[in-house]
Amino acid sequence: FTNDDTGLLETTYGGYFHDDFTWFDKVKKTGEETLVNKIDYKWTDKKYFSKKWEGYIRAKKGSYTFKLSSDDSSHLKIGDKIVINNGGFHPVREKTGIFNITDEITELPVVIYYGQNDWRAEVKFEWMGGDQKELTTDLSKIFRPSKYVEPAKEEPKEAEKPKEEPKEDEEAEEDEEAEEDEEAEEDEEA
């Protein structure tokens, strides 16, 4: 991924995770990982599956509100903190959490867990904070699939490098060499 990529990486798994985050490390993925800039799904024909969205939140200092609506279980984890616990078997239910960013620019790992047991399946993730004054599902503003990498400073190309001024001793040597060359040419001509 590059610094220009936005959103979170979505992975699907067969089976229900039963609110056990370590479960995802023990089972096989059932498809390709996909980069998404929105989490707002409703399925009528799917059951017994789980999803995980991962990446980083890169945001300015301030208070951020997050909302997860789901049928069944969903959780939001930022860094080491569970910001939203909407776990268990239930019909569509909304839960909100607040996370305060205290540094000017912060980058933290973020994971959203979702699991569907039976019946209707639905999950929606929204957020607001910083310059975003209303809830939105748009992940492109503060979510990234990988850590931000500071661009490397480019070294000037060889032709663009400033030429070093010769030191005084070098100038004197060059003058002497030039004089010797002139004298040698005069001797050859004579």
Side-chain angles (χ1 to χ4, degrees), residues 5-8 37 55-61 63-66 78 99 101 105-108 110 125-132 136-146:
D5 291 320
T6 62
L8 296 173
N37 274 300
Y56 291 85
I57 180 172
R58 183 173 168 82
K60 296 177 185 175
K61 183 178 184 175
S63 181
Y64 290 78
T65 300
F66 301 95
I78 299 177
F99 189 83
I101 294 180
I105 293 184
T106 297
E107 185 173 65
L108 294 167
V110 60
F125 176 68
E126 298 172 273
W127 70 275
M128 68 182 217
D131 297 334
Q132 181 63 41
T136 182
T137 57
D138 182 4
L139 302 178
S140 69
K141 292 183 180 182
I142 62 171
F143 293 96
R144 303 281 178 267
S146 60

Side-chain angles (χ1 to χ4, degrees), residues 113-167:
Y113 301 95
Y114 170 74
Q116 171 56 29
N117 188 43
D118 203 1
W119 290 94
R120 205 166 99 180
E122 179 172 326
V123 63
K124 183 176 184 180
F125 176 68
E126 298 172 273
W127 70 275
M128 68 182 217
D131 297 334
Q132 181 63 41
K133 304 300 181 198
E134 296 179 5
L135 285 170
T136 182
T137 57
D138 182 4
L139 302 178
S140 69
K141 292 183 180 182
I142 62 171
F143 293 96
R144 303 281 178 267
S146 60
K147 276 192 155 192
Y148 182 81
V149 177
E150 289 293 333
K153 292 181 181 177
E154 288 188 31
E155 290 291 323
K157 294 179 183 158
E158 200 62 41
E160 296 173 1
K161 286 186 181 179
K163 293 182 179 178
E164 290 184 22
E165 294 295 321
K167 296 178 186 172

